[in-house]
Amino acid sequence: METSVEPIRAGERVQLAPGGYEWMVPVDARPAQSRVDPYGIDRFGIFATPGAIDVDAAGRLPTTAYLQIDPGQPDAVEHVRNILATAGPMDLLSTLSATTETRQFANVRRGLTVGIVVTLLLIAASMLVTMLEQLRERRRLLAMLDAFGTPRRALGWAVVWQHLVPVLLGLVLAVVAGIGLGAVLLGVVGRDLVVSWWTVAGASAAGAGVVLLVAAAGLPALWRLMRADGLRTE
């Protein structure tokens, strides 16, 4: 049911509170467009500065203030709460945010992050051991290539690409499969798919970074196996 509100005109006397202070709207007051507040309520009334109203005669009036705090300061809300507590016991504090995150979801995301880190560490250790074994098996071949003048930089990049290409292909397949599976599961519960591309990019970059670190860790062994004594046979 819609209700109509009588507009307030310039020069009209209004009561700021039932049975309370009466105030005359200045004759030069201009109409103002109502706005929707952060609660989603279309506010209407009189927009007046404290200098236009006799604050002492008006007494204590209901007041609503909106503060924007730094989200990077976790204690900012508590500071505001402490200041508000000194004003009066009836004052209330509400926290508004564009998005909210449940504790259960935060715990799940934290667990997934820990799982990703542990998995990447295990993959890095496995790749490093495998790469060192492969280099040791190719010790004579690497020494021969170096003896024939093959640039060490080319051999180093060959080792890097040998491990980087399969991982990149695996990352692409993992991203596609993960997004597809998420879309199917969300479709079952009737939810729209929203992809956090920053999270996807971060996990993919971490996987590629692990490969580069493993390759960098194996380069000293590659240079050592390319020495001339690798051509000796027993």
Side-chain angles (χ1 to χ4, degrees):
M1 177 178 181
E2 296 182 357
T3 58
S4 59
V5 179
E6 291 293 334
I8 301 174
R9 299 177 176 84
E12 183 179 354
R13 299 189 66 87
V14 295
Q15 283 187 345
L16 301 184
Y21 174 71
E22 290 189 358
W23 179 68
M24 178 180 291
V25 181
V27 294
D28 57 348
R30 294 176 298 176
Q33 184 68 31
S34 62
R35 299 177 59 183
V36 179
D37 65 4
Y39 283 99
I41 302 175
D42 191 3
R43 295 293 182 178
F44 58 90
I46 301 175
F47 293 90
T49 61
I53 298 177
D54 189 351
V55 180
D56 296 333
R60 182 176 176 84
L61 298 174
T63 303
T64 302
Y66 297 100
L67 303 178
Q68 184 175 2
I69 60 178
D70 185 3
Q73 299 294 332
D75 298 332
V77 177
E78 296 301 326
H79 293 328
V80 176
R81 197 186 308 274
N82 294 335
I83 296 175
L84 188 63
T86 61
M90 300 301 294
D91 295 324
L92 301 177
L93 175 64
S94 300
T95 303
L96 301 177
S97 60
T99 58
T100 57
E101 183 179 282
T102 62
R103 180 173 299 180
Q104 182 179 5
F105 177 79
N107 293 334
V108 171
R109 187 175 64 177
R110 191 177 298 110
L112 290 175
T113 302
V114 174
I116 291 174
V117 172
V118 173
T119 302
L120 288 177
L121 291 177
L122 293 176
I123 292 175
S126 176
M127 290 182 59
L128 182 60
V129 172
T130 302
M131 183 176 63
L132 293 178
E133 290 180 354
Q134 291 178 352
L135 292 177
R136 190 177 295 108
E137 294 175 356
R138 302 172 183 175
R139 177 179 181 179
R140 183 177 177 82
L141 177 61
L142 293 174
M144 291 178 61
L145 291 174
D146 183 63
F148 279 103
T150 303
R152 291 194 172 188
R153 178 178 298 180
L155 294 176
W157 279 111
V159 172
V160 172
W161 284 109
Q162 181 182 0
H163 294 83
L164 184 60
V165 171
V167 172
L168 291 179
L169 294 177
L171 288 175
V172 172
L173 293 177
V175 170
V176 173
I179 294 177
L181 180 60
V184 172
L185 295 178
L186 290 175
V188 172
V189 298
R191 298 289 184 177
D192 296 330
L193 176 64
V194 178
V195 181
S196 178
W197 293 110
W198 287 110
T199 303
V200 174
S204 302
V210 166
V211 177
L212 295 177
L213 290 177
V214 170
L219 289 180
L222 175 64
W223 308 146
R224 186 171 60 255
L225 295 175
M226 291 174 61
R227 295 175 181 174
D229 56 358
L231 297 174
R232 299 178 182 177
T233 57
E234 297 181 359

